[in-house]
Amino acid sequence: MSKHEFPNNRIPIEKDNPSITRDEEKCIVCGQCRRVCREDIAVGKMYDLAKTGDCAICINCGQCANICPVNSITEVYDYDKVKKAIANPEKIVIFSTSPSVRVSLGEEFGMAAGCYVEDKMVAALRALGADYVLDTTFAADLTITEEASELVRRITQKDKPTPQFTSCCPAWVKFVETFYPEFIPNLSTVKSPIGMQGPTIKTYFANKMGIDPKKIVNVAVTPCTAKKFEIKRDEMNASAEYNNSEEMRDMDYVITTRELAKWIKEADIKFTALTPSEYDNLLGRGTGAGIIFGNTGGVMEAAIRTAYFYVTGKTPPDNLLNLSPVRGMDGMREASVPIGDIMVKVAVVHGTANAKELIEKLQSRELSYDFIEVMTCRGGCIGGGGQPKVAMPITDEVRKNRIAGLYLKDEQLSIRSSYENPDIIAVYKDFYGEPLSELAEKILHTVYDTKASMLMKGLEEI
């Protein structure tokens, strides 16, 4: 008999899941969580509890929490831990905010989906006690700088297999590690923006600002529940070795958009009445390319802009600054992009059920690409498992409005490519040296390991 109740009617969730939890008293066994996990994410139909030793397999995406109509399933709340850190005078609490949060947070306070609330979001974090507020869009630009460099090297030097898969979505990475470990070599080795922001703060930023990195508490504000799992991965401690501090983690806490809204309301902060505030200098500036990271297709588009410059030495043309074939809400999109003398064939997929279908076509050699972006959540990060649930279920209209909010901001910015970001230029000049340097590889890149054994082993062996 399974320890999980109603396994044929709802998804099983382990008690120690770092991303999501279930309040049994609220559950009405409606089956919505099982449906989304099986149909959109595919994980729910890709394993058997009888073979895993009754251990639930989860990629931590939180789409079950997004769809739960009674809030029985929620993210694991961590904001109380952040509040304690703020109350500790020995700690320096630094918030870093992901692009998608600023086009969804306002929904929790009666504002329209897609409304760009960056300045009020920053003001709210300062009101909650932040010592510094930084923009993870900077780290998105850093990710692109490394990922585009890796892509150019794979294509020109053929040092690693193609297609190169994006790796900024931790749920997607875990999906590959668990179900398709033979494609691990295809995953980009670059860390996600949050995976880069954390160690860059505790090394470069700390040195520049004269801060003891041991006092820093890094908090990521993100639409993603899988980031709560990601920051606990063993390898997410590059700053520990650099600072000779064994217990140091690169990113200490992750709170979702919903968590931040809950905290703001509990603190009785009048969000819409806040006086606008700006990010702190240094790691507080991102480009349009970093902004669109939150959209399905956005990572692909951002990487192509920088890869084009690295290959040709020229500014990307208008058609690459608005790469329409990879935009939209189709489950899969593709394009052939000329970069100098090289024709790069790319694809974009959102929803791991769609990714599963694509992988099977790659395995059968029915399709072939050079570069593939995968996002677990429909619409990309804007549809992440920690986003507001003011519309139930979340509609594509809401997703499209959030997407439009990020594309509009991209168009409004004077700097739209990651390689042009002055803060990125400075961080390489002063610290990392150049993309793919020895230090960059050590701090900004990572490795992945197969988790396929979880599918066939008992609990005692996991």
Side-chain angles (χ1 to χ4, degrees):
M1 176 180 288
S2 174
K3 68 182 179 186
H4 299 285
E5 294 186 73
F6 315 112
N8 295 323
N9 302 96
R10 65 182 194 176
I11 60 159
I13 299 174
E14 294 295 330
K15 299 295 185 185
D16 61 351
N17 190 309
S19 299
I20 56 171
T21 186
R22 174 184 279 125
D23 183 337
E24 293 289 356
E25 292 185 3
K26 291 182 179 179
C27 181
I28 57 175
V29 198
C30 65
Q32 287 299 307
C33 59
R34 186 172 189 268
R35 182 197 64 75
V36 75
C37 191
R38 291 174 64 85
E39 296 179 13
D40 296 355
I41 306 303
V43 169
K45 61 183 179 183
M46 294 178 71
Y47 76 97
D48 185 343
L49 283 173
K51 295 180 179 179
T52 65
D54 208 30
C55 179
I57 304 297
C58 177
I59 61 172
N60 310 98
C61 70
Q63 287 304 304
C64 54
N66 254 5
I67 202 72
C68 180
V70 293
N71 293 323
S72 169
I73 302 176
T74 65
E75 58 268 75
V76 173
Y77 294 134
D78 290 311
Y79 71 100
D80 278 339
K81 297 174 185 175
V82 180
K83 288 165 68 174
K84 290 179 181 178
I86 289 172
N88 185 343
E90 295 298 313
K91 298 297 183 182
I92 297 171
V93 180
I94 301 176
F95 287 86
S96 297
T97 70
S98 297
S100 298
V101 178
R102 66 203 71 180
V103 288
S104 61
L105 180 61
E107 296 169 35
E108 291 275 4
F109 302 95
M111 303 171 79
C115 188
Y116 202 83
V117 297
E118 177 185 292
D119 53 0
K120 291 189 181 298
M121 173 188 67
V122 173
L125 291 168
R126 296 198 190 284
L128 291 170
D131 291 297
Y132 295 92
V133 183
L134 307 179
D135 191 358
T136 311
T137 307
F138 161 85
D141 284 330
L142 192 57
T143 293
I144 283 301
T145 304
E146 293 291 324
E147 187 162 26
S149 299
E150 182 185 5
L151 175 64
V152 170
R153 190 171 67 183
R154 283 195 193 223
I155 292 174
T156 59
Q157 299 182 22
K158 304 186 185 305
D159 62 326
K160 292 180 181 179
T162 56
Q164 176 176 305
F165 284 115
T166 58
S167 56
C168 54
C169 173
W172 153 244
V173 168
K174 192 175 181 182
F175 184 84
V176 173
E177 289 178 315
T178 305
F179 299 106
Y180 298 101
E182 65 271 27
F183 280 97
I184 287 176
N186 295 80
L187 285 169
S188 169
T189 62
V190 302
K191 293 179 179 177
S192 71
I194 284 174
M196 290 190 178
Q197 184 87 344
T200 302
I201 289 172
K202 290 190 177 182
T203 55
Y204 172 73
F205 181 86
N207 291 339
K208 283 285 188 180
M209 303 299 289
I211 299 171
D212 180 354
K214 295 182 179 66
K215 293 184 177 182
I216 292 176
V217 176
N218 269 333
V219 184
V221 184
T222 170
C224 178
T225 56
K227 295 294 180 185
K228 291 176 180 283
F229 157 77
E230 180 188 33
I231 66 168
K232 291 180 170 61
R233 290 180 66 115
D234 290 343
E235 65 270 20
M236 294 301 176
N237 65 344
S239 57
E241 181 179 352
Y242 184 90
N243 290 301
N244 194 27
S245 178
E246 187 176 341
E247 300 302 315
M248 184 177 289
R249 301 295 300 174
D250 293 336
M251 190 64 67
D252 298 288
Y253 301 109
V254 162
I255 63 173
T256 66
T257 313
R258 284 196 301 261
E259 273 184 276
L260 177 57
K262 181 177 170 64
W263 185 5
I264 291 170
K265 291 171 184 176
E266 288 178 1
D268 199 28
I269 294 171
K270 307 304 179 187
F271 185 80
T272 57
L274 285 167
T275 301
S277 183
E278 296 181 351
Y279 289 109
D280 288 289
N281 292 327
L282 196 67
L283 314 195
R285 176 165 40 189
T287 69
I291 289 289
I292 63 173
F293 235 78
N295 294 340
T296 174
V299 178
M300 173 66 64
E301 188 168 347
I304 290 297
R305 294 177 189 180
T306 290
Y308 182 90
F309 175 77
Y310 285 163
V311 171
T312 68
K314 298 177 182 178
T315 301
D318 288 345
N319 67 313
L320 292 191
L321 292 175
N322 298 280
L323 194 56
S324 56
V326 303
R327 296 186 177 187
M329 289 292 289
D330 291 342
M332 176 181 162
R333 288 94 69 200
E334 62 178 21
S336 293
V337 183
I339 299 180
D341 296 330
I342 305 170
M343 186 63 72
V344 181
K345 193 172 181 182
V346 303
V348 170
V349 182
H350 59 145
T352 35
N354 291 324
K356 177 179 184 293
E357 182 178 341
L358 174 61
I359 287 174
E360 290 169 355
K361 290 180 178 179
L362 292 174
Q363 289 174 321
S364 67
R365 302 187 184 277
E366 182 180 342
L367 294 174
S368 66
Y369 298 97
D370 299 300
F371 190 25
I372 300 174
E373 177 203 303
V374 182
M375 293 288 185
T376 298
C377 301
R378 183 165 177 79
C381 302
I382 58 90
Q387 289 284 63
K389 296 168 62 173
V390 292
M392 277 298 296
I394 183 176
T395 64
D396 273 353
E397 181 180 0
V398 169
R399 294 185 182 96
K400 288 175 181 177
N401 286 339
R402 293 172 181 170
I403 287 171
L406 293 183
Y407 281 134
L408 178 61
K409 187 63 176 179
D410 170 40
E411 292 172 5
Q412 292 172 341
L413 291 174
S414 59
I415 302 178
R416 299 182 62 190
S417 295
S418 301
Y419 67 87
E420 298 178 292
N421 185 335
D423 284 355
I424 293 295
I425 294 170
V427 79
Y428 279 104
K429 179 178 180 292
D430 297 341
F431 189 61
Y432 287 121
E434 62 182 7
L436 307 181
S437 69
E438 183 178 350
L439 184 60
E441 291 278 2
K442 184 176 291 188
I443 294 180
L444 304 179
H445 291 248
T446 188
V447 295
Y448 313 104
D449 294 311
T450 178
K451 293 178 171 55
S453 61
M454 296 177 66
L455 300 174
M456 296 298 293
K457 288 191 174 183
L459 272 175
E460 71 282 358
E461 298 178 81
I462 295 175

